[in-house]
Amino acid sequence: MCGIVGYIGFREAWPIVIKGLKRLEYRGYDSAGISIINDNGFSIYKKAGKVAFLEDFTRNQDRSGRVAMGHTRWATHGEPSDINSHPHSSNDKRLYIIHNGIIENYATLKEELLNRGHQFESDTDTEVLIHLIEEIQGIEQIDLLEAVRLALNTVIGAYAIVIMDRENPDQLIAARKGSPLVIGIGEGEYFIASDATPIVEYIKNVIYLKDNEIALIKRDALLVKRLDNVIQTPLVQELELKLEELEKGGFDHFMLKEIYEQPRSIRDCMRGRINAEEGKIELGGIKEYADKLKNIERIIIIACGTSWHAGLTGEYLIEEYARIPVEVEYASEFRYRNPIITEKDIVIAISQSGETADTMAAIEIAKEKGATIFGICNVVGSSIPRITHAGVYTHAGPEIGVASTKAFTAQVTVLTLLAFYIAQQKGTLTVSKLTSLLTELDSIPDKIQTVLATNNLIKNIAAKIKDSRNCLFLGRGSGFPVALEGALKLKEISYIHAEGYPAAEMKHGPIALIDKEMPVVVIATKNSSYEKVISNIQEVKARKGIVIAIVTAGDKEIGKMVDYCIEIPDADEAFLPLLAIIPLQLLAYHVAVMRGCNVDQPRNLAKSVTVE
Ligand code: AGP
């Protein structure tokens, strides 16, 4: 996600835009830029780093002007750098664009434009779009609004854009598809932003542009059209949310917002990478290693915390579908135990932040021993992607809550795609099986939406266990990493001691803990180990434990033997982690809130552990 702010009116634009970008930094903060038009002409300032850095960098520059647009970036194509930051310009430096989203067909468009003599400065998909608009306007000899409309009809992907024309300073053009854009309506002034956070202090009336709509904005006029050229009468709405609520999108905490973002973040993670009809997967970041993957004899996954739990789901998926042995190592252990690694190994480092010290140190050791290193990270251009040979970004967007939620499901999504991708290379999955798996994977975001709808039930269950001192999480097969992750979520934000265990292991010790005070969360969905899990539930109930079961929708059998049931939609076992973790995230969240804990910044924890 990136942050967009635009202004056209009678006020000085710079203070509005720079303050607005700071309000949007929760959407992305690896680089920022502003373009502004004044009586002396046009200025553009763009720098890697936070918005405050751009502000300091331009302190002695000409920042006057009453038309401006700004962007704070969350890199998806092209690492964070001055040149990759927005706004981007057309070939003739007349048009400028800021963009939030992903242009999936940018490579094809870029090739065509290069063949027509265009020259590009950056690695971004955004720069291709403004060059395309320039090219269409030049060929068709049409006005800018029409050129933008025609260009967007050829674009595949998601965008929220604002375009500025140096030679036509009294207008801005905005458009959206798949990424949010709101237009604030003033008297003789208009505001544009990714959400209402940057504009709520200036105006009350807004228009939320709809997908496939484009707007021409002047100080005293607003024209909204659909991409099929039909003029729209947009709905004017009054803003109700307060600023503080807006940054959290109306949620009480960033963690809850990020839990609810998971249908979108998983779609973004899959975007441009799966073709369900043809049963094909594209992972551009590792495609040059496709042959190596075909013949690899071992994969080692290194990570910490939640990322380690994602890695464990990766082990189950890769071994099941690609039939390659996988070992999952805590990076902190791996780095100190002189591991046996050869150049025949592929090591996969998983890290949301891309900055975890233990994981980085483990990477260096594996590299020294000749392994090929892939990274699975969320923060584009962070340290780990810079020191690995290749990788796959999770595209989950900034994760502000210290307790990882959407990053975990995005990591699991990438590992699922990786398992299928290797199976595709090795032929261990038929095209028809891949087609059915990818078709079902495509439906997972909607199924997660269904699970999110059980939030109130989960909140009621949380109220029953909020005063517990201990909690056990049990699962079998791919339910075991889910149990581990559910336990970590509960312990790190509610401070209740929680442990995840393989359900069958309970009889080897933890069963001694079971009594009427002990809540036991069991992943008991209909899969290959269902009957065995039922036995484990009965063992707990025989000792008066409180059982909360995550069950397959419609399973009434288990309902008779447990205290609480939370249903998740039926799905292939491959996708169980993506669905079963959702209720556990919500359970941990509600318990922590009821215990008065600081959900977004739990005690003693940091979002990125950059020290040993
Ligand atoms: C998870 O909720 C925690 N925030 C923590 O375990 C985290 O997963 C771990 O520190 C690894 O961080 P990384 O993914 O950024 O490397």
mmCIF file of all heavy atoms in Angstrom, residues 3 40 117 137 163 239 243 319 372 399 450 473 587:
data_model
loop_
_atom_site.group_PDB
_atom_site.id
_atom_site.type_symbol
_atom_site.label_atom_id
_atom_site.label_comp_id
_atom_site.label_asym_id
_atom_site.label_seq_id
_atom_site.Cartn_x
_atom_site.Cartn_y
_atom_site.Cartn_z
ATOM 1 N N GLY A 3 0.651 5.826 0.138
ATOM 2 C CA GLY A 3 -0.230 6.933 0.530
ATOM 3 C C GLY A 3 -0.203 8.015 -0.530
ATOM 4 O O GLY A 3 0.861 8.370 -1.047
ATOM 5 N N ASN A 40 5.991 30.623 -10.365
ATOM 6 C CA ASN A 40 7.328 30.589 -10.999
ATOM 7 C C ASN A 40 7.499 29.324 -11.834
ATOM 8 O O ASN A 40 8.516 29.127 -12.467
ATOM 9 C CB ASN A 40 8.428 30.634 -9.928
ATOM 10 C CG ASN A 40 8.197 31.802 -8.987
ATOM 11 O OD1 ASN A 40 7.792 32.870 -9.457
ATOM 12 N ND2 ASN A 40 8.370 31.591 -7.688
ATOM 13 N N GLY A 117 10.850 4.300 -28.475
ATOM 14 C CA GLY A 117 11.858 5.310 -28.157
ATOM 15 C C GLY A 117 11.755 5.928 -26.782
ATOM 16 O O GLY A 117 12.486 6.853 -26.452
ATOM 17 N N GLN A 137 -1.767 10.144 -25.778
ATOM 18 C CA GLN A 137 -2.172 11.533 -26.044
ATOM 19 C C GLN A 137 -1.481 12.062 -27.287
ATOM 20 O O GLN A 137 -2.091 12.747 -28.119
ATOM 21 C CB GLN A 137 -1.830 12.430 -24.852
ATOM 22 C CG GLN A 137 -2.428 13.844 -24.986
ATOM 23 C CD GLN A 137 -2.155 14.719 -23.776
ATOM 24 O OE1 GLN A 137 -1.192 14.499 -23.040
ATOM 25 N NE2 GLN A 137 -3.017 15.707 -23.575
ATOM 26 N N ILE A 163 -2.751 12.622 -11.442
ATOM 27 C CA ILE A 163 -1.874 13.080 -12.521
ATOM 28 C C ILE A 163 -1.888 14.596 -12.597
ATOM 29 O O ILE A 163 -2.942 15.232 -12.487
ATOM 30 C CB ILE A 163 -2.341 12.474 -13.858
ATOM 31 C CG1 ILE A 163 -2.103 10.963 -13.853
ATOM 32 C CG2 ILE A 163 -1.609 13.109 -15.051
ATOM 33 C CD1 ILE A 163 -2.799 10.224 -14.951
ATOM 34 N N LEU A 239 -18.246 12.975 6.287
ATOM 35 C CA LEU A 239 -17.293 12.195 7.089
ATOM 36 C C LEU A 239 -17.744 12.128 8.539
ATOM 37 O O LEU A 239 -18.134 13.145 9.116
ATOM 38 C CB LEU A 239 -15.921 12.884 7.044
ATOM 39 C CG LEU A 239 -15.021 12.562 5.863
ATOM 40 C CD1 LEU A 239 -13.736 13.342 5.980
ATOM 41 C CD2 LEU A 239 -14.733 11.073 5.783
ATOM 42 N N LEU A 243 -10.071 11.594 13.397
ATOM 43 C CA LEU A 243 -8.747 11.347 12.812
ATOM 44 C C LEU A 243 -8.122 10.064 13.342
ATOM 45 O O LEU A 243 -7.749 9.174 12.583
ATOM 46 C CB LEU A 243 -7.834 12.538 13.110
ATOM 47 C CG LEU A 243 -6.414 12.390 12.577
ATOM 48 C CD1 LEU A 243 -6.440 12.266 11.076
ATOM 49 C CD2 LEU A 243 -5.555 13.565 13.020
ATOM 50 N N GLU A 319 6.889 -30.725 1.156
ATOM 51 C CA GLU A 319 7.108 -32.177 1.166
ATOM 52 C C GLU A 319 5.909 -32.901 0.576
ATOM 53 O O GLU A 319 6.059 -33.865 -0.166
ATOM 54 C CB GLU A 319 7.408 -32.651 2.592
ATOM 55 C CG GLU A 319 8.759 -32.155 3.099
ATOM 56 C CD GLU A 319 9.278 -32.924 4.304
ATOM 57 O OE1 GLU A 319 8.497 -33.689 4.898
ATOM 58 O OE2 GLU A 319 10.474 -32.746 4.649
ATOM 59 N N THR A 372 22.270 -21.680 -1.958
ATOM 60 C CA THR A 372 21.503 -20.636 -2.651
ATOM 61 C C THR A 372 20.433 -20.155 -1.686
ATOM 62 O O THR A 372 19.741 -20.970 -1.071
ATOM 63 C CB THR A 372 20.836 -21.221 -3.915
ATOM 64 O OG1 THR A 372 21.859 -21.726 -4.770
ATOM 65 C CG2 THR A 372 20.023 -20.157 -4.642
ATOM 66 N N GLU A 399 2.732 -3.794 8.114
ATOM 67 C CA GLU A 399 2.097 -4.433 9.275
ATOM 68 C C GLU A 399 2.553 -3.649 10.503
ATOM 69 O O GLU A 399 3.715 -3.720 10.896
ATOM 70 C CB GLU A 399 2.499 -5.896 9.366
ATOM 71 C CG GLU A 399 1.747 -6.654 10.444
ATOM 72 C CD GLU A 399 2.055 -8.141 10.431
ATOM 73 O OE1 GLU A 399 3.202 -8.499 10.739
ATOM 74 O OE2 GLU A 399 1.151 -8.931 10.104
ATOM 75 N N THR A 450 -15.653 -15.181 5.443
ATOM 76 C CA THR A 450 -16.687 -15.946 6.173
ATOM 77 C C THR A 450 -16.272 -16.185 7.620
ATOM 78 O O THR A 450 -17.073 -16.049 8.543
ATOM 79 C CB THR A 450 -16.926 -17.307 5.477
ATOM 80 O OG1 THR A 450 -17.213 -17.087 4.108
ATOM 81 C CG2 THR A 450 -18.048 -18.091 6.130
ATOM 82 N N PHE A 473 -2.761 -25.185 23.030
ATOM 83 C CA PHE A 473 -3.247 -25.221 21.644
ATOM 84 C C PHE A 473 -2.770 -26.524 21.016
ATOM 85 O O PHE A 473 -1.573 -26.831 21.054
ATOM 86 C CB PHE A 473 -2.699 -24.039 20.845
ATOM 87 C CG PHE A 473 -3.304 -22.709 21.218
ATOM 88 C CD1 PHE A 473 -2.963 -22.065 22.393
ATOM 89 C CD2 PHE A 473 -4.216 -22.097 20.365
ATOM 90 C CE1 PHE A 473 -3.516 -20.831 22.734
ATOM 91 C CE2 PHE A 473 -4.778 -20.858 20.693
ATOM 92 C CZ PHE A 473 -4.432 -20.231 21.886
ATOM 93 N N LEU A 587 -9.288 -14.540 18.646
ATOM 94 C CA LEU A 587 -9.394 -14.964 20.051
ATOM 95 C C LEU A 587 -8.328 -14.261 20.887
ATOM 96 O O LEU A 587 -8.631 -13.660 21.932
ATOM 97 C CB LEU A 587 -9.228 -16.481 20.153
ATOM 98 C CG LEU A 587 -9.426 -17.104 21.545
ATOM 99 C CD1 LEU A 587 -10.884 -16.970 21.998
ATOM 100 C CD2 LEU A 587 -9.006 -18.580 21.547
#
